[in-house]
Amino acid sequence: MLDIQPSPTLPRFTFGKYDEVIMDGISYRITDFSDDGYVFVRTNGSGVAEAFSHAVLSQRVTLGNLEHRRDAFLPEHAKRRLKSPSQVLSTLTSKQHQKAKRPEALVRAFFEMEAAGKVKRTDKSIEAALPQIQLRAGEILSIPSEGDIGKAGSKTIIVPKISASRLRKIVTAFSRDGISALYSQNSNNRRSRRIGPDELELLAKTVRNFLIMEQPSIAQIVEDVEHAFIAENLQREEAFKKNGKGKSPLVTPSRETVRLAVKKLDPFEADIARFGLEEARKRNAPVGKSLELTRPLERVEMDEWKVDLRALMSAAGIWSFLTDEEKISLGFEEGKKARWWLTAAICSTTRCVLAMKLSRAPNKRSAMQTIDMIVRDKAVWADAVGVLTPWNMSGTPELIVTDCGSAFIDFDTRVGATDLGISIEAAPAGIPELRKHIERLFGTMANNFAGRFTGRTFSNTVVKGDYDAGARAALTTEDLSEALIRWVVDIYHRRPHAGLDGETPLNCWNRLVNQYGVAPMPSVGLRRKALGTRLKRTVSKKGIKVLGIWYHSKALARWFMHNSSKEVRTRWYSEDIGAIAVEINGEWIEVPSVFEKYRGERAQTWLLALREIRASVAAQKLVDQMVIFKAMTRIKEINANAMARQGMVVDDYSPERVKSLEDTLLIGFEVDEMPCDTSTQPATDGLGLELSTATTANQHHALPATAALNIKAPPAEEPDDDWSLEEK
C-alpha cells in the first residue's frame, strides 16, 4: 500500500470525450456521464461498456490504479505520438535529450528576440537576426547544469549554422506540439517534393476555387486540381501530335501538397469569400478580454519567494534564544546571508494553494518536487501537523505558468511536466501581472504570516535542552514547514477572498470541483518515470540494488540470463521505493522490491529507520528484515516524526546524492536476504516474493529457451551531431 492518508473529502474527477482512461490494463474512453458517475466503453472494438461511480473512480485514483491520458484520441495528439519516439520523454537516453536541447536553445533564443520585437516569423526576418539567435542559443547551452556548477574549464558551445526556413519550421512545430516536437524522429528526414513553375502556376490558379460562397471542401479542391492537371496534360499531348514538339507533361501534386496550398491562403480573405464580410470580421476580430477561468486547475501559477528566516524568527521572539553555534547551523554565518526559498503553486481559478516546497536555493529539483506535490493528495502533510481543515486540492493541471527562473525553464522540469500531461509556459520576464495571483499570495504571506509565527509552533524551540546544533536546526526547519501549512490550510483557505467576491478559496474549490470536476492525478508508475532519479545500475543474480534495497522480477531474471551487458537504465522515485522502472530491450518495465513491506514507503522513512538501526546495532553487520520493518513501522507511528517523513523541505535525491548515501550510510551494513527459488509465490515469512535467478532457473528449468524469448540486442546509438566546443 502507498504511504498515503486520503483526504476526508475526495475530489470529483472529470474526463473529456477524447480522453483515454486505463484501469486494470484495459483502455477506455467516455461514452456517457451523470451526477452518479461515468460510463466508459472499451477501446478494443468489443463495444463493452462499464459504469463507474464517482466514489469508485476517486478510490482508484487515490490507490494509483487509474491512468488518465488527456486528449489521447484527438487526431493531432495521435499524430504527435507517431512523431515522438516515446510516450514518456523522461525515459529517453541522455544523448536523445542532448540532441533535443540544441534546437530547443534556438527556439528559446528566437522567442526572446520575438518578445523584444527584434524578429518576426518570416524567413527574411529570421535570416537577418540569425547571427544573434545563434549567439544567444550558444549562451543558453553554455549555462552549466547543477552538477557542473563550480567545475573548472567552462566551455562555450558554438551553434552550427542553420537555415532561416529550417528554424522557422522548428519554431512552428514547437508552438504547435510543445517540447515533444523536438524529439520527432522524422523531422530531419522529410523532404518536400520539388515541383516546377508550370505545376506551381496551375496549382495556385486551381486552389483559388476554394474561395467561393459555395464553400467547397479541401477534398473537392483536390479533385479540381487532379482534373485541371489531366486537362492540361491532354492539351500538351495534342499539341505534340500536331507539331511534333511541345512541353513535357506536368506532374500532378499529391493530396498533401494541395492541402498545404489551401492552408497557405490568406485566412481573412478566405473567410470573406466563403462566409461574407460580417462573418469574416467576427471570426478574425482581435480578442481584448482578460483571462476568463471557470474550472479548477485550468491554470496554475508557480513561482519562488525568498523567505527571510531571520526576520520571521525575530518576529517570533526566537532569534535571541539561539546560540552562536545554532545560528551558524542555520546558515547565519558572519558576513553571509542565510536564504530559504519557498516554491509555491496556486490555482488561479479558486486561489487555493496546491503545493509548497522549501529549499536553500531554487533549482530543478525544487520545481519538479513542487509539481509532484500539486498532483498528489496532501492529506499526509495536513495530518502531520494536525490541521482542522482538509487539504484535498489535487489533480492534474491543464496549464502551469511560471516566470523565467532557471528552475522553471530547465529542460528536465519541462520534460517532466509534459510527460505528466501538463502544459508549462514561462511568462515574459518583467511582467509580474501575468502571474498576479501567486505574486499576491507571496505579498499576503509577507504581511500576515510573520504575525502568526508565534505560539505553540515554536514553543519547543526556545526551550533549552540537551540538543546539538544540527538536531535543533532540523527541528526549526520542520517547525517552519508546520507553520506554513497551518497558515495556508486553516487560515488562508478559510478566509474570505476579495478576488472571489468574498467567497473563501476552500468553498470555491469544493463548489467548482462538484460542478466541473478535475483531471485525475497521474499514476505512481508515470510519476516514477517522469520525475524519478535517473540511475544506471548493474544487474546481478539477486536483481538490482538501490540504497540497500533489492528489486527483482521474472522479466529481469530472464533478461539477465541472455544478455552479456548487465548495465541498465533505471528510474528511482523517492516517494515510493517499493518499485523501480527499468529499461530492458528498449522497453520500460516496473520491477518491484523483493520484500513487499517496502512498497508504498518513502525513501525518507527508510533512511530514518536505517540511521536508527545503525546506531542501535553498530557492531552487527547483518541485520534481519524484521528489525528494519519494525523500525519503519515505529517511525511512521510517531507523530513527532511526521514532518521528517513528509516535510516540505526539498529532498536532494540526485544521482550524486544517492551514490553518497550508498557509500556512507550503507558501508558495512547488509540486510539479511532470503534464498531465492523459482517460485513467485509469497515467501513463507510473509515478507516478500521469492524470485528466479539465473542459477536457480537453470537448475529447475523454470525459464523458456532462448528462441522462445525472442530477445533482441538494443540498437546501437547514433553518433552525435557536429556541435563544436570552444574553450574560454
Side-chain angles (χ1 to χ4, degrees):
M1 291 293 291
L2 292 176
D3 185 13
I4 58 174
Q5 177 64 40
S7 296
T9 55
L10 292 174
R12 171 178 172 176
F13 297 112
T14 185
F15 305 95
K17 61 185 294 187
Y18 296 108
D19 294 359
E20 181 183 18
V21 176
I22 301 176
M23 293 181 286
D24 301 325
I26 302 173
S27 171
Y28 299 91
R29 67 181 300 175
I30 182 176
T31 184
D32 197 7
F33 68 94
S34 66
D35 291 338
D36 298 322
Y38 282 87
V39 177
F40 295 117
V41 63
R42 298 190 181 189
T43 61
N44 58 6
S46 63
V48 175
E50 299 179 52
F52 297 90
S53 67
H54 291 301
V56 170
L57 292 173
S58 295
Q59 186 181 36
R60 282 180 171 268
V61 170
T62 302
L63 296 176
N65 297 330
L66 183 148
E67 182 178 351
H68 176 227
R69 297 177 179 175
R70 182 181 286 149
D71 294 333
F73 296 115
L74 276 177
E76 53 266 33
H77 282 254
K79 292 179 181 178
R80 191 180 306 167
R81 289 196 301 274
L82 285 176
K83 297 177 185 177
S84 177
S86 173
Q87 200 159 28
V88 182
L89 301 179
S90 300
T91 61
L92 299 178
T93 65
S94 58
K95 184 170 290 187
Q96 288 173 299
H97 285 304
Q98 198 61 37
K99 289 183 178 180
K101 286 181 181 179
R102 296 161 181 171
E104 189 256 356
L106 287 167
V107 171
R108 284 174 56 187
F110 175 88
F111 284 158
E112 288 180 7
M113 294 189 64
E114 184 183 44
K118 297 179 180 179
V119 67
K120 297 181 180 179
R121 298 193 185 193
T122 64
D123 289 351
K124 183 178 179 180
S125 177
I126 295 174
E127 185 70 37
L130 205 51
Q132 291 84 359
I133 294 175
Q134 289 178 288
L135 179 62
R136 177 57 184 148
E139 293 174 351
I140 292 173
L141 287 171
S142 301
I143 297 175
S145 61
E146 293 173 21
D148 297 331
I149 293 177
K151 290 184 178 180
S154 60
K155 301 175 181 179
T156 298
I157 298 178
I158 306 301
V159 179
K161 193 172 182 179
I162 184 173
S163 68
S165 61
R166 176 63 183 153
L167 178 55
R168 177 177 52 79
K169 291 176 181 178
I170 293 175
V171 170
T172 301
F174 187 92
S175 300
R176 182 185 65 245
D177 298 332
I179 203 168
S180 61
L182 304 178
Y183 291 88
S184 174
Q185 292 178 319
N186 304 318
S187 59
N188 294 326
N189 299 328
R190 296 183 178 182
R191 298 290 185 268
S192 58
R193 183 162 58 92
R194 296 183 178 274
I195 58 178
D198 291 343
E199 284 96 343
L200 287 174
E201 181 181 0
L202 182 57
L203 173 64
K205 178 182 176 181
T206 312
V207 161
R208 295 195 68 82
N209 293 347
F210 187 76
L211 306 178
I212 58 177
M213 292 296 293
E214 284 74 13
Q215 301 174 18
S217 65
I218 294 180
Q220 290 174 301
I221 301 302
V222 171
E223 292 182 2
D224 290 349
V225 170
E226 291 175 351
H227 294 160
F229 273 75
I230 291 173
E232 177 64 21
N233 285 333
L234 287 175
Q235 290 180 7
R236 294 190 176 199
E237 185 179 348
E238 289 295 326
F240 181 82
K241 289 180 180 179
K242 289 182 180 179
N243 305 324
K245 59 180 180 179
K247 299 179 180 179
S248 59
L250 300 179
V251 177
T252 304
S254 67
R255 181 181 296 269
E256 181 64 11
T257 301
V258 177
R259 189 189 69 82
L260 293 175
V262 172
K263 293 295 183 183
K264 289 181 180 179
L265 295 172
D266 184 279
F268 187 62
E269 180 186 351
D271 286 343
I272 292 176
R274 291 167 64 87
F275 306 105
L277 181 59
E278 285 300 316
E279 181 64 20
R281 285 175 176 170
K282 294 178 183 178
R283 287 170 174 258
N284 296 274
V287 178
K289 295 182 179 180
S290 60
L291 192 65
E292 294 184 2
L293 301 172
T294 57
R295 305 183 302 278
L297 301 184
E298 186 176 356
R299 173 188 168 98
V300 171
E301 296 177 14
M302 191 163 70
D303 206 348
E304 298 152 347
W305 177 48
K306 184 176 71 173
V307 181
D308 191 343
L309 186 58
R310 176 169 180 173
L312 291 177
M313 296 175 71
S314 298
I318 298 170
W319 182 256
S320 60
F321 287 94
L322 299 179
T323 65
D324 292 339
E325 291 79 6
E326 290 167 340
K327 293 175 182 177
I328 292 175
S329 70
L330 286 171
F332 296 100
E333 298 182 41
E334 187 68 28
K336 294 185 179 180
K337 293 183 178 179
R339 294 180 176 179
W340 280 88
W341 290 83
L342 178 69
T343 305
I346 187 174
C347 172
S348 299
T349 309
T350 67
R351 309 297 201 275
C352 285
V353 177
L354 305 170
M356 295 184 294
K357 280 289 181 177
L358 284 165
S359 60
R360 293 306 301 266
N363 51 42
K364 70 177 182 181
R365 284 187 293 276
S366 62
M368 295 176 74
Q369 289 182 30
T370 303
I371 294 175
D372 188 36
M373 191 174 180
I374 290 173
V375 303
R376 296 175 57 195
D377 187 353
K378 283 159 280 291
V380 174
W381 286 275
D383 290 347
V385 301
V387 294
L388 305 176
T389 309
W391 197 7
N392 59 326
M393 295 80 183
S394 58
T396 302
E398 298 176 31
L399 171 68
I400 294 179
V401 179
T402 71
D403 64 6
C404 294
S406 59
F408 300 132
I409 64 174
D410 183 88
F411 195 77
D412 290 341
T413 300
R414 291 180 294 120
V415 166
T418 300
D419 286 337
L420 295 180
I422 304 170
S423 299
I424 184 167
E425 294 179 359
I431 312 178
E433 296 81 13
L434 297 179
R435 307 178 312 280
K436 59 182 180 181
H437 302 305
I438 190 70
E439 295 287 346
R440 288 176 183 172
L441 172 67
F442 289 149
T444 303
M445 280 186 171
N447 294 328
N448 298 330
F449 175 61
R452 301 179 181 274
F453 208 58
T454 57
R456 83 165 183 87
T457 301
F458 276 88
S459 60
N460 291 330
T461 308
V462 298
V463 177
K464 294 297 180 179
D466 296 328
Y467 301 106
D468 58 34
R472 291 173 63 81
L475 178 63
T476 304
T477 305
E478 292 168 19
D479 285 339
L480 174 60
S481 300
E482 179 178 343
L484 282 166
I485 293 175
R486 282 182 171 277
W487 180 83
V488 165
V489 179
D490 278 342
I491 297 174
Y492 173 76
H493 281 174
R494 296 170 65 100
R495 187 172 57 192
H497 197 292
L500 301 175
D501 294 329
E503 188 177 17
T504 67
L506 176 63
N507 288 343
C508 184
W509 173 272
N510 291 335
R511 176 175 58 82
L512 293 181
V513 166
N514 288 334
Q515 183 176 356
Y516 296 105
V518 294
M521 296 86 82
S523 65
V524 175
L526 179 57
R527 299 205 307 270
R528 178 177 290 111
K529 288 183 283 188
L531 305 175
T533 302
R534 298 169 182 169
L535 301 172
K536 286 187 177 181
R537 283 294 186 266
T538 300
V539 185
S540 70
K541 290 188 292 183
K542 290 185 177 181
I544 298 174
K545 190 177 184 180
V546 181
L547 274 184
I549 299 175
W550 285 100
Y551 301 87
H552 215 339
S553 70
K554 269 190 173 183
L556 189 64
R558 291 177 180 176
W559 179 89
F560 175 83
M561 288 178 61
H562 301 285
N563 284 269
S564 56
S565 176
K566 307 300 184 183
E567 188 177 69
V568 293
R569 295 195 301 139
T570 69
R571 291 290 184 276
W572 177 83
Y573 184 49
S574 63
E575 298 301 318
D576 178 17
I577 59 174
I580 57 174
V582 181
E583 183 190 30
I584 58 175
N585 300 324
E587 294 186 3
W588 286 85
I589 64 170
E590 187 169 283
V591 179
S593 58
V594 173
F595 292 93
E596 290 183 346
K597 288 188 179 291
Y598 288 115
R599 298 173 195 178
E601 299 290 354
R602 294 185 73 245
Q604 187 64 18
T605 306
W606 160 235
L607 292 177
L608 287 172
L610 196 58
R611 290 187 177 98
E612 181 177 294
I613 294 169
R614 284 184 63 92
S616 61
V617 291
Q620 184 177 339
K621 180 179 179 181
L622 196 63
V623 180
D624 185 81
Q625 281 284 351
M626 287 306 301
V627 174
I628 292 176
F629 295 142
K630 287 179 180 178
M632 293 177 68
T633 301
R634 191 188 68 80
I635 287 174
K636 289 195 297 181
E637 290 175 349
I638 298 176
N639 189 56
N641 284 320
M643 288 310 299
R645 295 189 299 109
Q646 293 287 353
M648 296 195 309
V649 179
V650 172
D651 294 320
D652 180 8
Y653 288 117
S654 61
E656 296 79 12
R657 169 70 170 161
V658 172
K659 185 178 186 304
S660 174
L661 289 171
E662 291 177 330
D663 291 344
T664 56
L665 202 58
L666 292 166
I667 286 181
F669 183 90
E670 293 184 9
V671 177
D672 186 16
E673 298 292 339
M674 297 179 301
C676 289
D677 197 355
T678 55
S679 169
T680 58
Q681 299 301 317
T684 55
D685 55 9
L687 294 177
L689 298 177
E690 297 177 347
L691 298 165
S692 312
T693 64
T695 304
T696 56
N698 290 333
Q699 291 173 349
H700 297 274
H701 308 286
L703 301 176
T706 307
L709 291 174
N710 193 24
I711 296 175
K712 299 179 180 179
E717 292 186 341
E718 297 179 0
D720 274 332
D721 297 335
D722 293 331
W723 292 70
S724 57
L725 298 177
E726 184 182 63
E727 295 285 344
K728 284 186 175 179

